[in-house]
Amino acid sequence: GKPARSAARAVRKFVSAGGRLVVLDQRRWDWPELVDFALGSKTSSRAFPYARARHPVLANVGPEFLKRLNGEPGTAAERFVAGAVLKAPGLKKLLWIAQPRYPVLVSLPVDEGEVIICTLQLNGRLARSGGRYDPIAERLLLNLLCRRSGQS
């Protein structure tokens, strides 16, 4: 709604000053005032790191654990990051599905901060009491939310 859209300038200022904005598992995105990107449709049960992908978000997440998110059958992602954002200066592609042309985790530097766009489906795998609990999903979420000083 209007109040949320009016916050875009304040959020961008926060990010520019060293904050981190995480856009997580969106079905659609129509807030270009905040960050301008598109979503493509592609479903996969596996995610893979790009060659030489280095970022604190991937800390303690071995590539073998991404192959089926805890070895369980199911969907890892149904969407990928698309659009002009992929050509933005400094953008880091971190994870992909199906083929490297389908990124599902990217980091975009914004002055002193960063925007992270992640289309992995982590939400349904976070409850420890549920049958779909996944420690790798939990680790990725913690890494997304916790910014380590001196790293981006």
Side-chain angles (χ1 to χ4, degrees):
K2 280 232 182 242
R5 289 200 184 276
S6 67
R9 174 180 245 153
V11 173
R12 299 259 328 162
K13 186 176 178 182
F14 164 77
V15 172
S16 291
R20 176 184 280 175
L21 169 65
V22 177
V23 179
L24 186 62
D25 190 20
Q26 296 294 306
R27 296 231 173 258
R28 62 183 183 74
W29 184 256
D30 63 354
W31 204 358
E33 306 90 346
L34 191 55
V35 58
D36 194 5
F37 71 96
L39 290 167
S41 182
K42 188 72 173 172
T43 300
S44 180
S45 63
R46 299 167 186 250
F48 305 91
Y50 284 91
R52 297 181 298 281
R54 302 286 179 268
H55 193 281
V57 168
L58 300 176
N60 300 313
V61 178
E64 65 277 6
F65 296 116
L66 295 168
K67 289 191 178 159
R68 281 202 185 261
L69 289 180
N70 199 28
E72 297 295 323
T75 301
E78 293 178 338
R79 288 169 183 55
F80 63 93
V81 181
V85 72
L86 296 177
K87 293 183 167 89
L91 180 110
K92 293 179 185 175
K93 293 179 183 178
L94 303 171
L95 296 177
W96 55 274
I97 58 169
Q99 297 176 12
R101 67 182 176 170
Y102 301 120
V104 293
L105 179 60
V106 300
S107 170
L108 175 64
V110 178
D111 298 325
E112 300 298 316
E114 74 178 322
V115 173
I116 295 179
I117 306 167
C118 178
T119 64
L120 291 171
Q121 294 181 350
L122 304 180
N123 191 27
R125 295 174 164 92
L126 298 172
R128 288 182 183 229
S129 60
R132 294 190 64 220
Y133 171 70
D134 184 344
I136 293 304
E138 182 179 63
R139 167 58 45 206
L140 281 166
L141 183 63
L142 288 171
N143 289 351
L144 283 165
L145 298 176
C146 298
R147 183 169 184 134
R148 294 186 174 94
S149 61
Q151 299 178 353
S152 62

